[in-house]
Amino acid sequence: VGGGATASGGGGALSSVVTDLEGQKESVYCMAMDPSGTLLVSGCTQNIVRLWDTRTAEKRVKLKGHTGNVRVAAVDPTGRLCLTGSSDHTLRLWDLGQQRCVQTLAGVHACSVWSLAPDANWSRVYSGGSDGKVFVTDLAQRRSTLLFQESHGVLNLCHDPAREGVWAATMGCDVRRWFTTVEDDYGGMSSSSNPGSLRQSSHSAMMGAGAIAAGVGSMGMGSVGGSLGGGGG
């Protein structure tokens, strides 16, 4: 832990490093923190998800399973679950208490996963790829639906539950809110066997060119457990 570096900004602001997490030997693409602020998750170019104890600045464990760079991560409000997206085209759901992967969502994206945004109760996750496609996946049913496609890779997503929408920010400097409603005759996710029941519209809410025509797709996904490595390296 190092604390010697300082930096000053405008208006008399002064910043200093109070915690330095040592031992990270590769580029870090993403971080996520539990609500208590004691657990930090990081994703890196060595295909590893690392867990850090922010109180001691020590690595707790590293989670293995991805076969590509870990580009994005999110931790649920309980601090027990973590979702990650990778350049290996998959999303993985991790149980941080058991320190293992409990679900692998493969076959959703055909490219690197750059962004994700779970809903409030973590029953669905919105994910965006480098090809501009954004999917919503029902984690319990393991069903995925293509919601819309941007003209550039989707760098960030924000779920807007109050207005049934999703905000998307892209490599093309676009920031848009898409209005989406996905349901079938039973009130759940639509599937390819009943595509006519899917209702969807989109509105460009802010900057950028007009919204691209949305497509609809659906597929099933398997579950694969990841392996757990020791806390070093």
Side-chain angles (χ1 to χ4, degrees), residues 15 40 42 114 133 148 155 161 174 184 207 209 225-226:
S15 300
L40 183 70
S42 65
W114 283 2
K133 292 181 180 180
F148 57 86
L155 292 171
D174 302 313
D184 60 19
M207 302 158 273

Side-chain angles (χ1 to χ4, degrees), residues 91 105 108 119 121-127 134-148 159 166 180-200 215-221:
L91 292 159
L105 306 178
V108 183
D119 64 4
N121 59 7
W122 276 56
S123 61
R124 294 178 178 177
V125 58
Y126 300 84
S127 56
V134 173
F135 292 84
V136 60
T137 301
D138 186 311
L139 295 176
Q141 299 296 323
R142 301 179 187 176
R143 293 181 181 176
S144 180
T145 300
L146 175 63
L147 291 179
F148 57 86
H159 179 224
V166 179
T180 58
T181 301
V182 183
E183 63 184 24
D184 60 19
D185 295 338
Y186 304 97
M189 295 288 292
S190 290
S191 66
S192 57
S193 62
N194 191 18
S197 65
L198 180 74
R199 301 198 319 253
Q200 177 178 337
V216 176
S218 179
M219 61 196 75
M221 287 157 289

Side-chain angles (χ1 to χ4, degrees), residues 57-134:
E58 294 178 350
K59 286 179 289 187
R60 287 177 49 182
V61 74
K62 60 183 180 182
L63 304 174
K64 295 181 179 180
H66 280 300
T67 58
N69 300 336
V70 181
R71 301 297 302 260
V72 61
V75 177
D76 85 322
T78 69
R80 182 173 181 85
L81 298 176
C82 176
L83 270 167
T84 55
S86 170
S87 58
D88 65 9
H89 308 176
T90 71
L91 292 159
R92 282 180 178 261
L93 180 65
W94 307 84
D95 186 316
L96 299 181
Q98 298 180 19
Q99 299 179 349
R100 67 185 184 93
C101 178
V102 294
Q103 191 175 33
T104 297
L105 306 178
V108 183
H109 290 272
C111 63
S112 179
V113 181
W114 283 2
S115 54
L116 60 84
D119 64 4
N121 59 7
W122 276 56
S123 61
R124 294 178 178 177
V125 58
Y126 300 84
S127 56
S130 59
D131 60 357
K133 292 181 180 180
V134 173

Side-chain angles (χ1 to χ4, degrees), residues 24 26-32 41-50 68-73 85-88 112-115 155:
Q24 186 77 46
E26 58 283 318
S27 298
V28 177
Y29 273 130
C30 60
M31 294 187 298
V41 175
S42 65
C44 67
T45 56
Q46 282 194 338
N47 316 338
I48 293 171
V49 179
R50 280 192 171 87
N69 300 336
V70 181
R71 301 297 302 260
V72 61
S86 170
S87 58
D88 65 9
S112 179
V113 181
W114 283 2
S115 54
L155 292 171

